[in-house]
Amino acid sequence: MQGLRSMDKFIIIGPQGAGKGTQAQLLCSEFDFVHISIGDIFRWHMRHHTKLAARVTRIMNEGRLVPDEIVEEVVGKRLQEHDWNWGFVLDGFPRTRSQAEYLFENWNLDRAVYLDIPDDVVFDRVAIRAAVGEGSGFTKRADDNPAALRVRLGEFHGKTAPLLQLFHDKHMLVTVDANRPITEVYESIKEALDLCGPKGGK
Ligand code: AMP
């Protein structure tokens, strides 16, 4: 079926707790896309105490956005690995106008999926993620606390949400109500991305 399938390049946007990572992983395991999470790459560096970690740890723990030039370098390097035969799902990038422009200049995107969810639901979800921690299917994170979350939501509404208009104008935006159970959200995403046919046989 390889010859019949095109390559898909998606991005997934939404505030913390919207389910970006979960939905990106579901798409990648069903359709063999590569999941590229910038937050995961930074957390890998933090666990391994690299030089990059020294530049980003404090910023991340406070809930602020890492400077564009650092993020763009990390994303550029990752995408240049070209290990994505079927395509990729970029989770958590772009988050600023500069990052979006960088992306448009370098890669032809297909669709941007916006996971729409109210702030109060985000607070509840992140509180659960912070409370239950390891071994529960949730991952405890240093930035899952109310102070950092307020900063992250501020960054989202101030810098990332305005990009939705940009994607809309390029006819790339699909908006999905993320305040529903995981499987329902996933079905809506697949439908919106025309991925509902037989597996691999788009
Ligand atoms: P995430 O795992 O996507 O919630 O990202 C965790 C943290 O990593 C964010 O709160 C930022 O500090 C940083 N980060 C991840 N992606 C980006 C990005 N595209 N631009 C700036 N900072 C980012």
Side-chain angles (χ1 to χ4, degrees), residues 39-173:
D40 282 352
I41 294 175
F42 286 145
R43 282 184 286 276
W44 183 93
H45 282 272
M46 286 159 73
R47 280 197 303 280
H48 292 85
H49 305 285
T50 66
K51 277 191 190 158
L52 179 63
R55 297 166 71 194
V56 303
T57 300
R58 181 146 166 226
I59 298 173
M60 278 181 71
N61 287 348
E62 288 175 1
R64 289 182 289 131
L65 290 182
V66 171
D68 290 330
E69 59 276 13
I70 298 180
V71 179
E72 287 162 19
E73 196 186 321
V74 166
V75 171
K77 264 196 205 146
R78 180 64 190 84
L79 288 176
Q80 274 153 21
E81 286 179 27
H82 283 277
D83 56 343
W84 29 277
N85 292 330
W86 303 121
F88 58 75
V89 180
L90 261 182
D91 159 4
F93 182 92
R95 284 184 175 172
T96 65
R97 179 165 275 269
S98 160
Q99 293 176 16
E101 280 161 8
Y102 170 86
L103 195 60
F104 292 138
E105 272 165 30
N106 292 286
W107 308 93
N108 290 321
L109 278 188
D110 293 294
R111 296 293 184 86
V113 178
Y114 168 45
L115 296 183
D116 188 14
I117 190 154
D119 283 3
D120 56 337
V121 179
V122 166
F123 267 96
D124 290 346
R125 285 190 180 184
V126 173
I128 292 170
R129 189 159 75 182
V132 291
E134 313 324 301
S136 57
F138 291 93
T139 317
K140 194 168 179 141
R141 291 170 34 166
D143 54 357
D144 278 346
N145 62 71
L149 181 57
R150 265 191 292 278
V151 176
R152 288 153 81 198
L153 279 174
E155 296 276 50
F156 178 78
H157 291 297
K159 296 178 183 160
T160 309
L163 305 180
L164 298 174
Q165 186 64 44
L166 210 66
F167 293 119
H168 174 78
D169 294 345
K170 289 182 180 284
H171 308 287
M172 287 169 42
L173 184 68

